[in-house]
Amino acid sequence: MTEKTAPEVDVWESPAHKRTVYGVLAVVALAILFDGYDLVVYGAILPSLMADPSQIGPLGAAQAGALGSYALVGVMIGALSAGAVGDRLGRRRIMLGAIAWFSIGMAATSFATNITTFGILRLLTGLGIGAIVATGGAIIAEFAPAGKRNLFNAVVYSGIPAGGVLASALAMVLREHIGWRGLFLIGALPILIVLPYAWYALPESPRWLSSRGRTDEAVALCYARGLPTAAFIDPPAAPAADTTADSVATAAAPTGFAGLLTPAYRLGTLLLGFMSFAGLLLTYGLNTWLPTIMESYGINAKSSLGFLLVLNGGAILGGLAASRLADKHGPRVIVACSFVLATLALVAVTLSPPFALMILLVAAAGMGTIGTQVLVYGFVSNYYETGSRAAGVAWCAGFGRLGGILGPVIGGLLVAAGLQAETSFLVFAGVALAGALITLAVPRSPGLVAQVPDTVLGAGRDDQAGGSPEPVKTPGADLR
């Protein structure tokens, strides 16, 4: 049991503060919900596309896997691009533009009549998705109250499996009535229902403004939105007694992607990228091929789609529950344990358990795969300082998408080779185990946020204050 070293206080300084933060949370969560919808809707309609060549043309298993990866190539490019400009242009502009881009892409894809057009439009749509995922983590890290960063990240990124649940449920109910084209048009709704709300409810990040030297704008925004300036504006660095080379170097610390490659962050950046690689390989591989793999077990088509509901439902519950533990004990050990849970569940599925137990194991696999990726985003967004935060999330979302690209391709190759379903699950289990080992190797962040949970430091102390804190000996304080 962790000993409290600071009194509990109300994290909300005014109703306007609470209203603003929850408005930001709602915008990002809704945007990422449709990212999850896009992720799963392709897997949900894939059996129909493969069975009916009149839709977009004859589609084999290997080609279907490659086609599923096209959107992920776009996501990777979009995430890395957003990271390159997000720490310079700001959070609000990138998020609003990405919502509009993604929605138009989904609508355009619904009118595709051949495989080539479908693939190109999926890639272009992915650009917007990548920008949303990369920018969302930075926004939440800069608006979430002290002691709740992992929880708020989990709420937001649980939108990915929640969107998967929505896509699976709508596919089960509406696929025979509106077809795959109608399901894709549903994915275009953000431009009508999310973008207008985001225009009103999503302000620029005051912390980002102050990090760019626009302190007056940041202060004005805080007053207008009821945000406490002490928590949302980084204090200026204390004047140095001399102008040594070290002090000049500190003042000119690199930001953006350059900041990720400084000696303090270099190893962590590399390992966090591979953590995300493993998590997204599992997420996209299972969401694309789980219905098809389950049909090879003799389960009918509708029940196979139901397993997507179970997988993503388990991810939502698991991600939210694990995020509370991550806020108390640090995310590293929680993420590693979550990967191990996925390993054990996927291996157990290969033993052909009874149907009821199969459902529980798939839910546990969802907790340990998609749910783990939810935690990874929270881990990453709090690992870096303000000047490199968007780039850090973008790096993991972008590089991780290489795993997402491989996931559908690996699944397609395994299915096309005629291997037993058990082989697919064992391959994914091996990836989960590798993810656990990589997670345990991630070093402590040099930033204050990553060193000690906010509940240990005490509310009201700015998480981005300069300098290195004194170590606090308390359970979970080292991002285990």
Side-chain angles (χ1 to χ4, degrees):
M1 184 174 180
T2 302
E3 181 180 351
K4 295 182 184 298
T5 59
E8 294 289 341
V9 298
D10 188 354
V11 299
W12 307 115
E13 296 208 2
S14 68
H17 176 200
K18 184 176 183 179
R19 184 167 56 251
T20 297
V21 172
Y22 275 107
V24 170
L25 181 72
V27 169
V28 180
L30 285 170
I32 290 181
L33 174 77
F34 282 92
D35 173 21
Y37 182 91
D38 175 86
L39 159 65
V40 174
V41 75
Y42 177 71
I45 67 168
L46 185 56
S48 296
L49 293 181
M50 293 177 67
D52 185 1
S54 68
Q55 297 299 317
I56 59 173
L59 195 60
Q63 188 178 26
L67 192 62
S69 71
Y70 291 170
L72 306 183
V73 174
V75 171
M76 178 181 67
I77 297 171
L80 294 175
S81 299
V85 300
D87 287 319
R88 292 174 172 80
L89 296 183
R91 320 307 191 205
R92 173 180 160 88
R93 291 183 190 176
I94 299 296
M95 182 61 75
L96 294 178
I99 291 170
W101 184 284
F102 161 78
S103 301
I104 294 170
M106 287 291 285
T109 305
S110 71
F111 294 100
T113 57
N114 58 70
I115 292 174
T116 300
T117 302
F118 185 90
I120 291 172
L121 290 172
R122 291 287 289 157
L123 187 149
L124 293 174
T125 302
L127 297 176
I129 298 173
I132 288 172
V133 173
T135 307
I139 290 173
I140 294 303
E142 291 168 12
F143 278 93
K148 294 180 181 291
R149 291 186 181 89
N150 284 292
L151 175 61
F152 271 48
N153 268 283
V155 169
V156 164
Y157 285 107
S158 289
I160 294 176
V165 169
L166 178 64
S168 303
L170 291 178
M172 292 174 67
V173 175
L174 299 177
R175 188 174 65 181
E176 295 181 0
H177 304 288
I178 64 175
W180 71 268
R181 299 182 190 277
L183 292 172
F184 267 73
L185 283 173
I186 290 173
L189 289 177
I191 200 169
L192 299 178
I193 61 176
V194 180
L195 186 60
Y197 177 62
W199 190 272
Y200 162 77
L202 181 65
E204 186 52 86
S205 164
R207 181 167 287 141
W208 176 81
L209 288 171
S210 66
S211 75
R212 305 298 293 178
R214 297 160 62 180
T215 305
D216 291 344
E217 293 178 55
V219 171
L221 191 154
C222 285
Y223 281 124
R225 295 281 184 159
L227 303 173
T229 56
F232 281 84
I233 298 179
D234 294 337
D242 57 15
T243 55
T244 63
D246 287 343
S247 65
V248 173
T250 299
T255 61
F257 281 111
L260 308 187
L261 299 177
T262 58
Y265 284 116
R266 191 176 298 147
L267 178 59
T269 294
L270 178 65
L271 294 175
L272 287 170
F274 278 103
M275 277 173 57
S276 185
F277 180 97
L280 287 170
L281 189 154
L282 295 167
T283 297
Y284 282 86
L286 287 172
N287 270 302
T288 299
W289 288 107
L290 185 64
T292 303
I293 293 172
M294 285 302 178
E295 286 185 18
S296 71
Y297 275 98
I299 297 171
N300 64 48
K302 182 163 285 192
S303 295
S304 295
L305 281 175
F307 274 102
L308 281 180
L309 286 171
V310 173
L311 184 78
N312 287 280
I316 296 170
L317 297 177
L320 291 174
S323 70
R324 302 301 296 268
L325 297 174
D327 274 323
K328 289 183 178 180
H329 305 292
R332 186 172 66 174
V333 69
I334 304 303
V335 171
C337 289
S338 190
F339 270 127
V340 170
L341 173 64
T343 303
L344 297 175
L346 290 168
V347 170
V349 167
T350 66
L351 303 178
S352 299
F355 188 79
L357 181 56
M358 177 80 82
I359 291 175
L360 293 177
L361 290 173
V362 170
M367 293 180 188
T369 55
I370 308 168
T372 297
Q373 188 60 27
V374 168
L375 297 176
V376 168
Y377 284 128
F379 191 171
V380 172
S381 61
N382 290 308
Y383 195 82
Y384 298 100
E385 296 178 308
T386 303
S388 295
R389 181 172 290 122
V393 179
W395 156 252
C396 287
F399 182 79
R401 249 50 184 202
L402 291 174
I405 292 166
L406 283 179
V409 172
I410 290 173
L413 292 175
L414 292 173
V415 171
L419 298 175
Q420 293 183 339
E422 289 82 355
T423 303
S424 299
F425 286 123
L426 288 175
V427 169
F428 289 132
V431 173
L433 181 59
L437 297 175
I438 292 169
T439 302
L440 293 175
V442 175
R444 293 172 58 177
S445 167
L448 179 60
V449 174
Q451 297 289 341
V452 184
D454 294 299
T455 51
V456 175
L457 291 172
R461 182 173 178 180
D462 187 73
D463 65 276
Q464 295 297 324
S468 300
E470 289 295 318
V472 179
K473 302 298 184 182
T474 184
D478 62 348
L479 265 182
R480 281 189 286 275

